[in-house]
């Protein structure tokens, strides 16, 4: 059942919250939600047609129409500091979840009942050097070439089409950013195998990381060029979740040089941003100082008060209740956890954005999201 909400009044409030935040005079903590297509595809109550991820990935028409349904459902059921209700224009984009890069490198796509599609590691002792010798894939090849085909089909489907009386535009494509070179290496080789390579065969490890960084820089530039965007940029946002596996010395030696290469290409001036699921907070100070990152999107577990003291008041921190608290808790427990985080000291400096930690899980009750938002509105205020 959709929210009983005055969307016009909500949207007016949201505009004022963000205006004050970006002017450096926040009135309260803003709250957002990270919600991918899995929230509705894997949620029977939000997926009345019962589409599967196999259908979603393999049929661009299914992907196009489910994205519109997904956005409509979110805009009418999950309160947050974002525009709600019907938009002036819908925006859809090709969505291959977090499998897109591995598929581009040649991994096998695996559909899993009750979960997002995945790709098993495929670089073995027998084929890993052949993979290196083959060099970076062509930017528009394989599954990413298919993504561009979907993109063109989306534009044809959107032409003259309206959803709930509103026009549709076509937006994003997988491959314009990166899930991170170390995370990609882990996905291709396997976490245990890659960590052993770092010690036992550093020549292969560095060859793999060099190939991935070269490939992704080339791909991002090629995609920007094809879309008519500036190929270079001075500010950048990226991710690399798997670095949580590493100590600070190992990160500095084995990954930071590759991050620096990418930042030098796309974000040399900063301030840059990074998304890191899990708990990589022991690395945040190094990342801030070495890569001009001033905005961190966190996962869990995170000690929010400690992190604010570690990074200082000028750094933006995104974070909030563990997704499992939101999925399996009660409105009362969600309220208590949200309040605990808001009172942890993380709001010092006015650069905290509340969100789930990290990516709202299918099956999360809308009542729990509403409790989180109500608590944020009630207790996330700043004195003016």
């Amino acid at each position: 059942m959709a929210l009983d909400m005055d969307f016009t009044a909500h949207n007016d409030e949201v505009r004022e919250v963000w205006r004050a935040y970006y002017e450096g005079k926040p009135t309260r903590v803003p709250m957002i939600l990270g919600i991918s297509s899995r929230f509705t595809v894997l949620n029977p109550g939000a997926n009345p047609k019962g589409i599967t991820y196999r259908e979603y990935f393999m049929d661009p028409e299914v992907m196009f129409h489910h994205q519109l349904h997904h956005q409509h459902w979110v805009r009418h059921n999950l309160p947050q500091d974002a525009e709600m209700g019907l938009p002036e224009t819908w925006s859809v984009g090709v969505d291959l979840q977090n499998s897109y890069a591995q598929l581009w490198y040649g991994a096998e796509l695996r559909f899993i009942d009750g979960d997002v599609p995945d790709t098993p590691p495929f670089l073995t002792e027998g084929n890993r050097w052949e993979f290196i010798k083959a060099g970076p894939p062509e930017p528009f090849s394989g599954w990413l070439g298919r993504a561009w085909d979907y993109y063109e089909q989306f534009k044809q489907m959107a032409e003259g089409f309206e959803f709930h009386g509103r026009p549709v535009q076509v937006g994003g494509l997988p491959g314009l950013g990166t899930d991170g070179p170390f995370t990609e290496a882990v996905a291709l080789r396997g976490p245990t195998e890659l960590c052993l390579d770092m010690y036992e065969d550093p020549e292969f490890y560095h060859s793999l990381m060099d190939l991935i960084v070269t490939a992704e820089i080339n791909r991002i530039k090629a995609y920007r060029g094809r879309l008519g965007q500036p190929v270079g940029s001075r500010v950048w946002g990226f991710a690399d979740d798997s670095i949580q596996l590493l100590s600070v010395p190992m990160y500095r030696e084995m990954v930071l040089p590759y991050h620096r290469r990418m930042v030098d290409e796309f974000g040399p001036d900063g301030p840059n941003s990074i998304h890191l699921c899990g708990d990589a907070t022991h690395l945040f100070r190094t990342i801030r100082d070495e890569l001009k990152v001033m905005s961190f999107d966190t996962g869990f577990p995170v000690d929010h008060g400690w992190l604010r003291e570690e990074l200082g008041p000028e750094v933006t921190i995104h974070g909030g209740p563990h997704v499992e608290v939101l999925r399996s808790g009660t409105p009362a427990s969600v309220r208590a956890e949200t309040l605990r985080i808001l009172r942890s000291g993380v709001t010092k400096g006015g650069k905290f954005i509340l969100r789930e930690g990290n990516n709202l899980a299918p099956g999360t009750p809308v009542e729990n999201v509403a409790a989180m938002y109500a608590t944020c509105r009630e207790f996330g205020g700043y004195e003016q």
Side-chain angles (χ1 to χ4, degrees), residues 104-105 136-137 139 175-178 181 209-225 231-232 236 257-267:
W104 182 53
Y105 289 114
L176 274 165
T178 178
M209 290 290 286
D210 178 72
L211 184 151
I212 290 171
V213 168
T214 300
E216 302 211 339
I217 288 173
N218 291 345
R219 185 191 70 219
I220 292 168
K221 288 182 174 181
Y223 282 25
R224 289 178 175 183
V231 172
W236 196 45
Y258 299 103
H259 281 173
R260 189 174 285 120
R261 272 181 61 188
M262 300 195 82
V263 166
D264 286 347
E265 288 283 350
F266 300 120

Side-chain angles (χ1 to χ4, degrees), residues 31-35 80 297-300 318-323 326 353-361 372:
M31 182 188 124
I32 61 173
L33 295 168
I35 311 169
Q80 56 179 308
D297 187 18
T298 65
F300 55 84
H318 299 68
H322 191 306
V323 287
L326 290 163
I353 297 173
L354 182 68
R355 63 166 293 171
E356 82 303 331
N358 185 285
N359 200 274
L360 201 65
M372 181 179 169

Side-chain angles (χ1 to χ4, degrees), residues 69-359:
H69 165 75
H70 168 88
Q71 291 177 49
H72 186 275
W73 196 94
V74 168
R75 281 174 164 267
H76 290 83
N77 290 276
L78 298 177
Q80 56 179 308
D81 286 316
E83 183 187 70
M84 298 190 68
L86 295 177
E88 290 297 320
T89 303
W90 303 97
S91 180
V92 298
V94 182
D95 170 29
L96 299 179
Q97 291 290 289
N98 291 105
S99 298
Y100 72 91
Q102 301 93 281
L103 292 171
W104 182 53
Y105 289 114
E108 172 193 357
L109 178 60
R110 179 179 295 173
F111 294 102
I112 305 167
D113 289 341
D115 207 341
V116 293
D118 198 11
T119 58
F122 70 94
L123 294 184
T124 66
E125 295 302 308
N127 69 10
R128 59 191 183 126
W129 280 108
E130 283 71 18
F131 179 82
I132 299 299
K133 291 176 184 176
E138 194 273 330
F140 304 100
S141 64
W143 260 94
L144 287 187
R146 186 172 186 161
W148 277 89
D149 291 341
Y150 283 16
Y151 177 76
E152 294 300 327
Q153 292 180 62
F154 277 19
K155 289 197 290 186
Q156 293 176 14
M157 286 186 273
E159 188 173 349
F161 179 77
E162 290 188 346
F163 183 66
H164 288 275
R166 307 298 166 91
V168 178
Q169 65 182 13
V170 180
L173 272 159
L176 274 165
T178 178
D179 284 341
F182 188 72
T183 298
E184 290 304 328
V186 165
L188 299 178
R189 180 77 169 119
T192 301
E193 292 78 5
L194 187 70
C195 288
L196 288 173
D197 289 335
M198 295 168 77
Y199 287 96
E200 297 178 352
D201 195 351
E203 180 185 3
F204 170 75
Y205 168 81
H206 287 293
S207 295
L208 178 60
M209 290 290 286
D210 178 72
L211 184 151
I212 290 171
V213 168
T214 300
E216 302 211 339
I217 288 173
N218 291 345
R219 185 191 70 219
I220 292 168
K221 288 182 174 181
Y223 282 25
R224 289 178 175 183
R226 178 175 282 193
L227 291 169
Q229 301 175 0
V231 172
S233 56
R234 312 304 298 178
V235 178
W236 196 45
F238 65 109
D240 211 342
D241 294 344
S242 293
I243 63 172
Q244 65 184 286
L245 298 171
L246 305 177
S247 67
V248 172
M250 284 297 291
Y251 170 74
R252 281 187 170 276
E253 178 184 355
M254 306 300 278
V255 177
L256 178 59
Y258 299 103
H259 281 173
R260 189 174 285 120
R261 272 181 61 188
M262 300 195 82
V263 166
D264 286 347
E265 288 283 350
F266 300 120
D269 295 346
N272 298 312
S273 61
I274 194 166
H275 164 89
L276 292 169
C277 290
D279 185 4
T281 54
H282 59 291
L283 303 174
F284 281 12
R285 180 187 286 267
T286 301
I287 292 169
R288 179 198 66 184
D289 295 344
E290 298 288 347
L291 300 174
K292 300 179 181 178
V293 169
M294 293 296 287
S295 179
F296 290 84
D297 187 18
T298 65
F300 55 84
V302 172
D303 183 334
H304 296 88
W306 172 85
L307 187 58
R308 172 58 68 203
E309 293 302 315
E310 174 77 355
L311 295 178
E314 298 303 316
V315 172
T316 299
I317 297 171
H318 299 68
H322 191 306
V323 287
E324 188 60 20
V325 171
L326 290 163
R327 190 190 70 82
S328 62
T330 63
S333 64
V334 168
R335 179 181 175 87
E337 177 62 2
T338 303
L339 185 57
R340 184 191 68 79
I341 292 169
L342 290 172
R343 291 177 172 173
S344 68
V346 72
T347 64
K348 181 180 179 181
K351 291 185 178 293
F352 176 62
I353 297 173
L354 182 68
R355 63 166 293 171
E356 82 303 331
N358 185 285
N359 200 274

